[in-house]
Amino acid sequence: MRTRQKLQGKRQKEENRVFFFVFFAFFPKGLLLFFFGAFLIFNFSFAQQPSPIHKSDKTETIDGKKFYIHTVEKGQTLYSIAKTYSTTVDIVLANNTEAVDGLKAGDRLKIPFIGKSPSLPTVSIVEEKKKGLPVLTPESEKKSVSNSNKDSVKEIPNPNPQQGTVQTSKENLPGLPVKPIGDIHVALFLPLSLSMVNAIDVGKIAQGEEPFPEETKTGIEFYEGVKMAFDSLKKEGFKGNLHVYDSNLDSAGFAKLLKKTEMKEMDLIIGPLNGRQFETVLKFAKLNNINIVAPTIQSNNMLMGNPNVSKVTPSFATQSEILANYVSEKFAGQNILVFNSANPKDKPYINTFKRTANATLQKAKADSVKEITFVTLNTFFSKTKPNIVVIPSTNQSFISEAVNRLYQDKQENNKDSILVFGMSNWIEMESLDFNYLKKLYATVSCCTFTDYLNPGTKKFIGQYRNEYKTDPTGSVFSGFDIGYFYLGGLQKFGNDLQRKLPELKHKGIQTEFNFTQADPSSTLGPGSGYENKGVGIMKFENYSYIRVK
């Protein structure tokens, strides 16, 4: 199992939102009720604020590595602890695998000691760039990673060996001639900001006087993951070439880069990570019939009429579909409600949920999904059946208000049978109170999850530590998973990989790959690209998100 967890603290701005919500919801019932209800909610919210977490002054050196020793107190979460120590939940879990099932008061956590600078582990990478790291400079376009990095890590097995490296169906589709493996070239676009490297003061970063550029840090970590995947596949016989390009260029620089002769010879392009930059490269790839991968972008618009593109991060519409399948199969016969935010941006997610869930419920001869608002909430609540409330919204203010309202109804009306469902954006929301999520049995869709107890994951973390002297982040895991999946696919299928994507099934360290091509009858139209629908379901338990499907 893999956990994700968030600090669920109530902030003043959220209390104000609740205050005004009570006004609009209850004013018709009388001004006195409005003031009384607002006073109760305001004060209750204030009482629920978690106490601040203080960084421990206790340290220990374990196996040559220095750690803070943090003793968990009641109400603290992995997210809030990680934030206090300027690190990530992934890094905390990597060093405390026993915490994957949640925290309890008195637990002792090992937090990597990083002195004054949270970015110190990356400083050595900057120094390498200043010396001219070949693979990361624009001049390295004609060199492969294998030629410029002789000291590669040991072979890394598939993190989920029971799934196989890359699974396909036994039947081979008739296809285009497969290009010889040795002729394969892959371009990797990352935000490395090489033109600004000389302006980075490593000394100040090491002393914590200035932060390491976050976008550049993400690009470096993603590259580190891809490089480890490349080195691992090289042990298995991969003979292709990986070319790394800096995507942080102005429009003139980008245009000049894309005009280079070798760019048209690429078999696959991964990135850029930024949406605006990706659109520029996407147009180039479509014009030159080159397959391209969007590693981080959620919107499906890029898939429209472009069979050469595939996107790794599932859209919110897809998450709504997966939630609908889960809810309608598990809770058919219960009172299923979908919360309408009245925000036009959320309408596609609401419609997707209703359409998908109702198809299953109709077969089961169960009641269809009811659409509710703040005004009609109590009208559609059942007193005899569990109320399954789904909030398919990307509006954080609305989500917070809806969760607060559901919790208040549960408390005031003694409704124990309220279960709330949301999407992956909940995991990153600090405005949601963790006590509310616990009482409402919150369940969310998730696009990434890491099983820290998996032997393959543990081995990868150990090898990354040996190579880079720090712990891997989510960007590292993402780079490895995407690199391993696509480079491994090219090794097996060559330039026929794109058509084979729906057949390939793979569970990486944090990403599950399950591609489908857009239905010709969908709004994306015929000849559209491929979306990864590898979405999981996580439940909030013991102040942690735990994978349940």
Side-chain angles (χ1 to χ4, degrees), residues 193-213:
S193 303
L194 296 180
S195 62
M196 300 177 63
V197 165
N198 290 330
I200 297 177
D201 192 322
V202 175
K204 288 185 177 180
I205 291 175
Q207 294 300 318
E209 297 176 5
E210 67 179 44
F212 193 92

Side-chain angles (χ1 to χ4, degrees), residues 95-269:
N95 290 279
N96 303 273
T97 54
E98 68 280 1
V100 297
D101 291 322
L103 300 177
K104 62 180 182 297
D107 285 350
R108 284 163 53 90
L109 299 178
K110 302 188 298 292
I111 315 293
F113 183 88
I114 51 179
K116 297 181 181 179
S117 170
S119 302
L120 189 58
T122 317
V123 169
S124 60
I125 306 298
V126 179
E127 290 287 20
E128 286 182 329
K129 285 194 183 65
K130 287 188 174 184
K131 295 175 184 177
L133 186 64
V135 71
L136 292 179
T137 59
E139 290 74 23
S140 68
E141 295 151 5
K142 296 182 180 179
K143 297 181 181 180
S144 70
V145 171
S146 58
N147 290 332
S148 56
N149 293 276
K150 295 181 180 179
D151 298 323
S152 60
V153 296
K154 296 179 181 180
E155 182 177 353
I156 303 167
N158 172 30
N160 293 278
Q162 71 274 14
Q163 297 295 325
T165 300
V166 180
Q167 291 187 339
T168 66
S169 64
K170 295 181 180 180
E171 298 180 0
N172 290 320
L173 294 175
L176 302 172
V178 177
K179 198 171 183 179
I181 290 178
D183 291 339
I184 288 176
H185 291 267
V186 178
L188 177 63
F189 283 87
L190 295 172
L192 302 172
S193 303
L194 296 180
S195 62
M196 300 177 63
V197 165
N198 290 330
I200 297 177
D201 192 322
V202 175
K204 288 185 177 180
I205 291 175
Q207 294 300 318
E209 297 176 5
E210 67 179 44
F212 193 92
E214 191 62 34
E215 188 178 39
T216 303
K217 184 172 180 287
T218 298
I220 292 171
E221 292 170 348
F222 192 93
Y223 161 70
E224 291 168 348
V226 174
K227 179 185 178 297
M228 291 185 72
F230 184 96
D231 289 340
S232 179
L233 288 168
K234 190 170 62 174
K235 297 285 187 179
E236 300 173 15
F238 182 76
K239 298 177 182 178
N241 302 283
L242 181 65
H243 308 269
V244 182
Y245 299 90
D246 186 5
S247 62
N248 272 1
L249 303 173
D250 57 26
S251 56
F254 227 106
K256 183 178 179 180
L257 174 60
L258 295 177
K259 287 181 180 179
K260 290 182 177 291
T261 305
E262 63 266 24
M263 291 304 304
K264 294 182 180 181
E265 300 300 319
M266 294 296 165
D267 297 287
L268 180 69
I269 298 174

Side-chain angles (χ1 to χ4, degrees), residues 21 103 115 140 151 163 261 307 318 356 408 426 485 492 496 543:
F21 160 70
L103 300 177
S140 68
D151 298 323
Q163 297 295 325
T261 305
T318 292
T356 305
Q408 295 305 322
W426 288 32
F485 177 80
K492 188 166 187 177
D496 203 28
Y543 303 103

Side-chain angles (χ1 to χ4, degrees), residues 317 320 343-355 392:
S320 295
N343 187 328
K345 292 183 179 180
D346 291 335
K347 196 64 177 177
Y349 316 139
I350 295 171
N351 290 340
T352 296
F353 181 88
K354 291 173 62 179
R355 181 179 64 254

